[in-house]
Amino acid sequence: MNFMAVQQLPESIAAAIEKLLEESEIAYDQGNVGRSFDRLVDAFNLIPDPKYDYGESFNHCSYLLDFILDEPYHLDQTTIWVERLHEIADHHGTWKGQIDFYEGKASFRLGRFAEAKAAFDRCVDFGKGMRYFYDEPPEYANFYRNPEWYGAENQ
């Protein structure tokens, strides 16, 4: 765990990222989900390595995961992006409950119900309740409360 100060992105990189995010939004509005996703990845890749040195990294990575989980485009990449999110968060020792929640959502979307239940259990234990489920699609909370409907208890 490293509590060193998080660096700000150089202005030129921040501007280039902002432009890519705008392009992503335009592509999405035009129904081009693939291009939209690709622009989000391009924006994340502009953040210099090591990514965990920059506060933007966690936000961009979690935004990509939200995109994948909301739009099943590149659902196969959820594990990659959860791992990237872990790399960033583990370096700082923060965002524990949020990471568990992303793991739960990703596992749920991939049909790995036992893994989803375990991740949501960790999230609820860490968060002292269901707060991570607020403002999320109700299917996650429904699954957490009734995993037997999905066979999670039998995997």
Side-chain angles (χ1 to χ4, degrees):
M1 181 164 38
N2 187 346
F3 291 107
M4 71 189 305
V6 175
Q7 297 180 39
Q8 294 290 349
L9 288 170
E11 285 185 36
S12 60
I13 293 175
I17 288 172
E18 188 62 33
K19 184 175 185 315
L20 287 168
L21 295 177
E22 289 171 10
E23 289 176 18
S24 172
E25 189 173 332
I26 290 167
Y28 188 84
D29 289 345
Q30 293 173 344
N32 192 338
V33 176
R35 181 167 169 71
S36 178
F37 177 79
D38 292 343
R39 294 294 75 82
L40 293 176
V41 172
D42 291 343
F44 180 80
N45 288 335
L46 283 181
I47 299 170
D49 289 323
K51 303 257 190 258
Y52 53 72
D53 279 352
Y54 299 91
E56 307 293 330
S57 296
F58 185 87
N59 294 335
H60 282 290
C61 196
S62 59
Y63 187 68
L64 271 158
L65 265 170
D66 284 334
F67 186 94
I68 292 169
L69 295 169
D70 290 344
E71 294 285 337
Y73 184 80
H74 284 320
L75 192 59
D76 58 319
Q77 292 192 24
T78 55
T79 304
I80 295 166
W81 289 100
V82 167
E83 287 173 10
R84 287 183 180 165
L85 203 58
H86 258 295
E87 291 168 9
I88 295 164
D90 288 351
H91 182 77
H92 295 282
T94 56
W95 302 299
K96 171 73 174 110
Q98 226 173 331
I99 300 292
D100 290 332
F101 194 70
Y102 274 113
E103 282 184 26
K105 292 192 315 183
S107 295
F108 177 82
R109 288 279 186 229
L110 292 169
R112 300 176 189 157
F113 299 123
E115 292 174 28
K117 177 68 167 82
F120 285 149
D121 283 341
R122 290 190 309 273
C123 173
V124 168
D125 289 346
F126 180 82
K128 310 272 190 283
M130 299 283 290
R131 69 184 176 113
Y132 289 102
F133 291 88
Y134 301 150
D135 297 325
E136 290 287 341
E139 61 194 342
Y140 298 124
N142 291 340
F143 164 75
Y144 181 72
R145 290 183 182 111
N146 305 291
E148 66 280 1
W149 293 354
Y150 298 82
E153 301 298 317
N154 301 322
Q155 288 187 352

